[in-house]
Amino acid sequence: MPLTLPPPAGAHDPVTPEGHQEPVTPEHRASGPPSQAQPLLRQEAKGEEEEGEETGVQGAWGTATAEPGWRVWGKAAEAAAAEEGQGEARGAAAAGSGSPAGGAGGGRGSWRRLLAWLRRPPQCCPCAAPLPRSAAHCCHGGTKMAALAYNLGKREINHYFSVRSAKVLALVAVLLLAACHLASRRYRGNDSCEYLLSSGRFLGEKVWQPHSCMMHKYKISEAKNCLVDKHIAFIGDSRIRQLFYSFVKIINPQFKEEGNKHGNIPFEDKISSVKVDFLWHPEVNGSMKQCIKVWTEDSVAKPHVIVAGAATWSIKIHNGSNEALSQYKMNITSIAPLLEKLAKTSDVYWVLQDPVYEDLLSENRKMITNEKIDAYNEAAVSILNSSTRNSKSNVKMFSVSKLIAQETITESLDGLHLPESSRETSAMILMNVYCNKILKPVDGSCCQPRPPLTLIQKLAACFFTLSIIGYLIFYIIHRNTHRKNKPCTDLESGEEKKNIINTSVSPLEILLQSFCKLGLIMAYFYMCDRANLFMKENKFYTHSTFFIPIIYILVLGVFYNENTKETKVLNREQTDEWKGWMQLVILIYHISGASTFLPVYMHIRVLVAAYLFQTGYGHFSYFWIKGDFGIHRVCQVLFRLNFLVVVLCIVMDRPYQFYYFVPLVTVWFMVIYVTLALWPQIIQKKANGNCFWHFGLLLKLAFLLLCICFLAYSQGAFEKIFSLWPLSKCFELKGNVYEWWFRWRLDRYVVFHGMLFAFIYLALQKRQVLSEGKGEPLFSNKISNFLLFISVVSFLTYSIWASSCKNKAECNELHPSVSVVQLFICQYHIWLAADTRGILVLIPGNPMLNIIVSTFIFVCVAHEISQITNDLAQIIIPKDNSSLLKRLACIAAFFCGLLILSSIQDKSRH
């Protein structure tokens, strides 16, 4: 859903009336003694405060120009000067109402005069506005000066913190954060596997979050696909046996923990040829060494993955003696070279010993203390890491299980063995370490290398680089030309004369500037979600993470409102605000991971349906009333909808269908256009003369509904249509169009209902059955209350039904029939992460500050992209038909080349 954003900086301030633009001179204020000027100042401060409450919000987004702020500054300075009788206030006011450069000095003088006015002796004054009882008898200036100072401060903030300054601040933040993360990667290492194996934290009771990366939860089919024709060996004691069972259950959940506990346990899945063995070697001794030594011989098949570890039996058998620790060090020293040799061809992991819960240990295990376990772990780490002299050891330390055990060991049944949830987490970490680099899951960024640049990405990088260089050259030439046209002094008169300079901006400059900005923005997109520069984390849903922000923005929205002159149903301002609220809720829904909570998921489906309803209503109303079926209108809409998505498909190497909402809205727009543009073209002007045309349009809508029903219940026909080339390149995802059919089918009736509602509403309005005068209600109070009651009951009924659904499949099946009763692309990569599966982490360790900073940058980027799209739309889609056809031919050639390059890439990948 596109993010509804405020107008760009420099737009006319909608709050400041035209009649109040000129500064008020001191003569109008200082007529009379100071006691008479006091109420005037109080009234102006009150009026300025009320206006500031509105313009303060707008100004922060850049809708207010710089001029009104300086004029208010001048007014305040004049008001203060009038009371003191300072004659120089006129000059300060003139400076304040001029350009920002000329007003800087006036601002400092105004502050000095205000401070002088604050230091004057208190005077009694009549109160123009109600005051507290303590201040009713004598006013010392504190109340009105606090309001005036607050007003001035707010105006100053709004003047300096414009949209432009916000974007500059966002750019500085991005550069600083990128430098910090780059330095951290260089200092701490860039291997996310090390973080996965050694660090992390629990987000909830059973959700483990590795440091700086995302962990994928593997399904049975994925695990078998990754481990096909693989052999995994677990060597060690009972704790390693537990890890073996949890690992096997990822492949086969029905595998039972039975058999000889103190013996070898085999497992084999014949379908996928996966072999997993547990070898009972509870001590690091000669027996374990011999088992490992056999694998080092060239003639023996080696396991692809070896997971080893042992220590508690050595502590138990030798009663925790120091001699046993010394023997352990000698044995592991002799095994270390063998493990290092195996690690050159296989993945070898040494599992460090987990802590124990000493209070639950039985009497024959009391000697196994955490102090002893730490000593054995230190010995293993120091020896295995020093087994190679000049390089880093290839044997990986599996130390993350210690962190997991520290949080969950109290749930152990015997104080020694971990609860099942902890073992499952450790097994899933092992699966991520080995399989992420093979399957490359989207939400499994740990242990995944940066994807190589494709040919299309390289060409895009060259294009944006050339655009940046071209714009810099253009800017330097333009700047030198401007310097040559500096004002020169007339020798006769001694006055400066300015050469006439043409300040109009050429389309070429706008084009280069837009592509230059877009190139920098796309570089940020790539850094966030492809370059592995910034960190990523998994989503974790709690009710508080979703509902608290929703309540906060609803309460905040109560205090920020403005009136509108529009009174018609679903006017532009109303629908824009509606879309904005829906976008906020959907953003919170995505970043909180609320899709796992079914009632929230179903209500978000209603918001998506509402947006599509507006699509049907808005486009039908335009074509019905305007009758504009020209190619310019179609190209403008298609360009604004798809420009960012096409660029992201190129830069981020994602298919068009991945950003499913834009294809959905685009297809429905074309359906509306084709339905109304095909013969006979029926518009309001033609239908007013003959009611027969209304019946003809209803036939058109009925035929559209029939086509929708046919495609919804005929998956084969739908897939055949969209599997045709080149449509297949746009709508295929993972090699088929099922995802597109599923998305389209979810809200298949909503756009039709929007079109039908628009037709009935506009027809009744034209027949004057519905009258919408200024301030007049659309219906009588009784009808309005009845409709309101029906709406509330329908919404509550839907909420109850959504809460009672057992699964998403059941809800999705009924949603298209019941949803009628009831920002989107940028977030994919620079607010969320891993293609919306995770959360972007710019500031690790502080989730709240991270959300604030990433949201600020996200909003600035979205606003800039909106401006770039508008600028490019004016240039690329001209109103002249001949020029437009030439541009369309160039665009068609561009997409043909893109399709050819995409086909070449697909063949090279396979």
Side-chain angles (χ1 to χ4, degrees), residues 242-255:
Q242 280 189 313
L243 185 58
F244 158 79
Y245 278 126
S246 297
F247 187 87
V248 169
K249 286 182 179 180
I250 298 176
I251 306 169
N252 182 9
Q254 284 75 36
F255 187 74

Side-chain angles (χ1 to χ4, degrees), residues 551-616:
I551 295 172
Y552 175 76
I553 63 171
L554 289 177
V555 172
L556 195 64
V558 173
F559 296 98
Y560 292 97
N561 55 72
E562 43 184 65
N563 296 325
T564 177
K565 297 178 181 178
E566 292 284 347
T567 57
K568 293 184 177 180
V569 172
L570 293 180
N571 59 73
R572 181 63 181 269
E573 294 183 6
Q574 183 181 7
T575 55
D576 283 350
E577 183 175 1
W578 189 2
K579 292 176 184 177
W581 280 107
M582 290 192 297
Q583 180 63 54
L584 282 173
V585 175
I586 290 174
L587 288 174
I588 297 171
Y589 163 82
H590 278 170
I591 202 167
S592 63
S595 60
T596 58
F597 186 50
L598 196 55
V600 172
Y601 165 79
M602 291 309 301
H603 284 83
I604 295 299
R605 293 301 324 160
V606 173
L607 297 186
V608 176
Y611 188 93
L612 293 173
F613 177 88
Q614 291 186 42
T615 298

Side-chain angles (χ1 to χ4, degrees), residues 5-9 11 58 61-63 163 863 867:
L5 292 169
Q58 300 293 340
W61 289 97
T63 58
V163 171
H863 188 277
Q867 288 188 334

Side-chain angles (χ1 to χ4, degrees), residues 685-702:
K685 186 177 181 180
K686 181 186 292 187
N688 288 338
N690 192 342
C691 294
F692 173 78
W693 292 113
H694 288 92
F695 178 72
L697 184 62
L698 287 174
L699 287 179
K700 273 191 170 186
L701 293 179

Side-chain angles (χ1 to χ4, degrees), residues 227 231-237 239-251 263-267 275-282 288 291-292 295 303 305-309 347 349 351 398 423 426-428 430-431:
L227 301 176
H231 180 204
I232 298 94
F234 289 80
I235 311 171
D237 53 13
R239 287 176 157 187
I240 300 297
R241 184 182 65 236
Q242 280 189 313
L243 185 58
F244 158 79
Y245 278 126
S246 297
F247 187 87
V248 169
K249 286 182 179 180
I250 298 176
I251 306 169
N264 299 339
I265 305 174
F267 169 80
K275 186 179 180 182
V276 186
D277 292 326
F278 169 71
L279 305 177
W280 173 255
H281 291 283
M288 178 182 287
C291 177
I292 296 173
W295 288 329
V305 180
I306 299 172
V307 182
D347 290 351
Y349 304 96
V351 181
F398 194 83
R423 292 149 39 194
S426 298
M428 194 60 70
L430 277 176
M431 189 69 73

Side-chain angles (χ1 to χ4, degrees), residues 72-318:
V72 173
W73 181 274
K75 292 183 196 176
E78 291 165 353
E83 300 240 346
E84 290 297 313
Q86 297 181 6
E88 60 185 14
R90 185 191 302 273
S97 62
S99 64
R108 290 192 293 271
S110 300
W111 275 116
R112 287 196 295 270
R113 287 188 290 275
L114 285 172
L115 291 174
W117 193 70
L118 280 169
R119 289 195 294 268
R120 69 178 189 170
Q123 299 178 0
C124 291
C125 59
C127 296
L131 290 175
R133 183 172 297 178
S134 59
H137 299 289
C138 187
C139 173
H140 299 292
T143 304
K144 57 177 176 285
M145 280 312 299
L148 184 59
Y150 168 78
N151 220 7
L152 291 171
K154 177 179 284 190
R155 291 284 181 160
E156 279 295 282
I157 293 173
N158 291 340
H159 172 70
Y160 287 107
F161 196 75
S162 61
V163 171
R164 182 182 180 87
S165 59
K167 291 176 182 177
V168 171
L169 182 60
L171 177 62
V172 172
V174 168
L175 294 176
L176 289 176
L177 290 169
C180 292
H181 280 267
L182 187 61
S184 175
R185 297 271 180 181
R186 290 290 179 88
Y187 175 74
R188 301 180 59 181
N190 197 30
D191 188 4
S192 57
C193 276
E194 292 188 2
Y195 296 136
L196 179 61
L197 293 170
S198 61
S199 59
R201 70 185 192 278
F202 275 104
L203 296 177
E205 294 182 358
K206 299 180 180 180
V207 180
W208 181 255
Q209 172 59 59
H211 175 70
S212 80
C213 63
M214 296 169 59
M215 192 171 75
H216 178 66
K217 187 174 182 179
Y218 277 89
K219 301 176 183 177
I220 299 173
S221 58
E222 293 174 326
K224 290 182 178 180
N225 187 26
C226 169
L227 301 176
V228 62
D229 297 327
K230 297 296 189 296
H231 180 204
I232 298 94
F234 289 80
I235 311 171
D237 53 13
S238 57
R239 287 176 157 187
I240 300 297
R241 184 182 65 236
Q242 280 189 313
L243 185 58
F244 158 79
Y245 278 126
S246 297
F247 187 87
V248 169
K249 286 182 179 180
I250 298 176
I251 306 169
N252 182 9
Q254 284 75 36
F255 187 74
K256 297 181 179 180
E257 300 183 16
E258 57 186 13
N260 185 7
K261 293 185 177 181
H262 293 172
N264 299 339
I265 305 174
F267 169 80
E268 184 176 3
D269 186 88
K270 295 182 179 180
I271 297 176
S272 56
S273 300
V274 178
K275 186 179 180 182
V276 186
D277 292 326
F278 169 71
L279 305 177
W280 173 255
H281 291 283
E283 288 189 87
V284 181
N285 53 19
S287 176
M288 178 182 287
K289 179 180 178 181
Q290 184 60 33
C291 177
I292 296 173
K293 188 176 181 180
V294 171
W295 288 329
T296 59
E297 298 176 0
D298 297 334
S299 59
V300 178
K302 303 172 181 61
H304 297 88
V305 180
I306 299 172
V307 182
T312 55
W313 271 69
S314 297
I315 300 173
K316 177 183 175 182
I317 293 174
H318 299 92

Side-chain angles (χ1 to χ4, degrees), residues 35-51:
S35 60
Q36 296 178 2
Q38 292 274 357
L40 295 175
L41 181 61
R42 175 182 298 280
Q43 291 172 359
E44 184 194 30
K46 183 175 183 293
E48 292 291 334
E49 183 179 9
E50 292 173 353
E51 184 182 0

